[in-house]
Amino acid sequence: MSSKKKVAIIGSGNWGSAIAKIIGANVTKFPHFDNEVKMYVYEELIDGKKLSEIINSQHENVKYLPGHTLPNTVIAVTDAVETAKDADILVFVVPHAFVPRICNSLKGKIKSTAVGISLIKGFGETPNGGIELISDVIKNILSIDCAVLMGANLAGEVAEEKFCETTVGCRNKANGIVFKELFQTDNFRVTVVPDTYSVEICGALKNIVAMAAGFSDGLGYGDNTKSAVIRIGLKEMIRFIKTFYPDGTQDTTFFESCGVADLITTCYGGRNRRVSEAFVKSGKTLDELEKELLNGQKLQGFQTACEVMTMLKTNGHVDRYPLFEAVYLIGRKDIPPKDMMEYLRREPEDL
């Protein structure tokens, strides 16, 4: 990676805007970063005004991160290619379903020496019923190396500069140092590990577990039950990673922010838990609640559960993941939420 590195952020939602606050400030602290950070914004009209123009004039994403000032270094751009074409570091933070389309639009139009880092929690799908890691989708379409950043990072708390930790999964040590400089602050502590697969997969699977925690809350169960949901869910996460992505897996990664910390945070404070609780109490569909409660954000957990279940069915492993199966069936309304406990009682003893 060369000197005066240009950074581009692909995405500008709640999490994208929160991380833009950090990146926009940090590029001014090191001489090897360019001080202009382009941020791709999907154009929307807010009270008759273009969101990109509001961001560039008021330095605030009034829809997705209201009340927080973005650094003057962050420039909203409404074209993904224009945002990314000169960048040395591409920070991807869009809903995971949009990644293939955006990356295909960038193919052949970015620097061959660029590197990427994904902050996206979810999976891509393959034609044969498997899953594809988002970092691999980015890497394969754009022919660039792609690291990942995952952790117990509720966007609002990060934006408010409350202390938290995150994990960067990066096999290239030199790039790992650069990513740590780009993201770390006094209140956003970065740990870099080489176990990229585990970091990324934990970030996706924990949303399924958070839905189970939300179902438990909606049913009026207590903290003991939620603790059981979290424990069983963590075991299924570890089991999934060790079964399908064993290369380079380190048990210590599950104790980083991307693992148990992110799981706990999401099961108590995340959008997947909140919508799942409302699903039980309201009787509405997940699609209806996503539109009502999430202000344009996406509910990742159920889509991830569908992708995971397709893979488990294809490989004959469904019976080893009763919590994942229960979330999938409840989300489809194939079984009532109260039946989840019967599935949790089937927990396999081994990893």
Side-chain angles (χ1 to χ4, degrees), residues 162-216:
K162 296 179 179 178
F163 179 81
C164 64
E165 301 174 309
T166 199
T167 312
V168 168
C170 182
R171 293 188 176 93
N172 183 302
K173 289 186 177 180
N175 288 350
I177 292 170
V178 173
F179 289 134
K180 187 162 186 170
E181 292 173 341
L182 187 61
F183 293 106
Q184 182 157 276
T185 72
D186 289 344
N187 291 312
F188 193 70
R189 182 175 178 269
V190 176
T191 299
V192 182
V193 301
D195 185 7
T196 306
Y197 285 158
S198 296
V199 174
E200 181 167 7
I201 297 168
C202 280
L205 296 182
K206 57 94 180 182
N207 286 323
I208 304 177
V209 186
M211 290 190 67
F215 296 150
S216 178

Side-chain angles (χ1 to χ4, degrees), residues 96 119-124 131-134 148-151 196-211 237 240-241 258-259 262-263 266 272 299-308 324:
H96 71 279
L119 281 63
I120 301 166
K121 296 177 177 178
F123 295 127
I131 62 172
E132 188 174 17
L133 302 186
I134 294 299
V148 295
L149 181 150
M150 307 282 161
T196 306
Y197 285 158
S198 296
V199 174
E200 181 167 7
I201 297 168
C202 280
L205 296 182
K206 57 94 180 182
N207 286 323
I208 304 177
V209 186
M211 290 190 67
M237 290 165 58
F240 185 92
I241 292 168
C258 63
D262 194 12
L263 179 61
T266 308
N272 290 275
L299 182 75
Q300 312 102 314
F302 183 61
Q303 184 174 346
T304 302
C306 293
E307 294 159 353
V308 166
F324 290 174

Side-chain angles (χ1 to χ4, degrees), residues 128-343:
N128 62 357
I131 62 172
E132 188 174 17
L133 302 186
I134 294 299
S135 63
D136 284 342
V137 174
I138 295 168
K139 179 172 64 176
N140 293 337
I141 295 176
L142 296 179
S143 300
I144 62 173
D145 186 50
C146 188
V148 295
L149 181 150
M150 307 282 161
N153 307 143
L154 295 178
E157 294 185 12
V158 172
E160 291 166 4
E161 300 182 19
K162 296 179 179 178
F163 179 81
C164 64
E165 301 174 309
T166 199
T167 312
V168 168
C170 182
R171 293 188 176 93
N172 183 302
K173 289 186 177 180
N175 288 350
I177 292 170
V178 173
F179 289 134
K180 187 162 186 170
E181 292 173 341
L182 187 61
F183 293 106
Q184 182 157 276
T185 72
D186 289 344
N187 291 312
F188 193 70
R189 182 175 178 269
V190 176
T191 299
V192 182
V193 301
D195 185 7
T196 306
Y197 285 158
S198 296
V199 174
E200 181 167 7
I201 297 168
C202 280
L205 296 182
K206 57 94 180 182
N207 286 323
I208 304 177
V209 186
M211 290 190 67
F215 296 150
S216 178
D217 288 342
L219 291 163
Y221 298 144
D223 288 337
N224 289 343
T225 304
K226 184 183 278 192
S227 294
V229 167
I230 293 171
R231 183 193 65 80
I232 294 168
L234 179 60
K235 286 185 71 174
E236 291 194 14
M237 290 165 58
I238 295 171
R239 183 181 297 124
F240 185 92
I241 292 168
K242 289 190 171 183
T243 299
F244 296 107
Y245 293 89
D247 183 32
T249 298
Q250 300 175 351
D251 286 345
T252 52
T253 304
F254 302 116
F255 297 96
E256 296 292 349
S257 184
C258 63
V260 65
D262 194 12
L263 179 61
I264 292 170
T265 295
T266 308
C267 286
Y268 278 90
R271 76 185 79 154
N272 290 275
R273 187 220 63 81
R274 178 162 56 96
V275 170
S276 298
E277 180 181 11
F279 175 85
V280 175
K281 292 180 175 180
S282 70
K284 296 179 180 179
T285 67
L286 291 172
D287 285 341
E288 289 171 334
L289 292 166
E290 180 184 80
K291 292 173 184 175
E292 287 181 19
L293 300 178
L294 296 187
N295 190 34
Q297 293 178 288
K298 296 297 180 182
L299 182 75
Q300 312 102 314
F302 183 61
Q303 184 174 346
T304 302
C306 293
E307 294 159 353
V308 166
M309 282 303 298
T310 299
M311 186 171 182
L312 294 178
K313 289 176 182 178
T314 301
N315 291 277
H317 285 286
V318 173
D319 61 337
R320 301 188 69 218
Y321 299 87
L323 183 147
F324 290 174
E325 183 182 13
V327 170
Y328 169 75
L329 294 173
I330 294 168
R332 285 168 49 95
K333 293 205 166 188
D334 289 344
I335 64 172
K338 65 181 179 59
D339 283 4
M340 180 176 70
M341 303 316 299
E342 293 302 319
Y343 283 78

Side-chain angles (χ1 to χ4, degrees), residues 38-54:
K38 292 180 180 179
M39 180 174 72
Y40 169 57
V41 174
Y42 178 78
E43 190 69 281
E44 302 177 64
L45 290 178
I46 308 296
D47 296 329
K49 298 180 180 179
K50 293 181 178 180
L51 180 58
S52 62
E53 293 178 358
I54 295 172

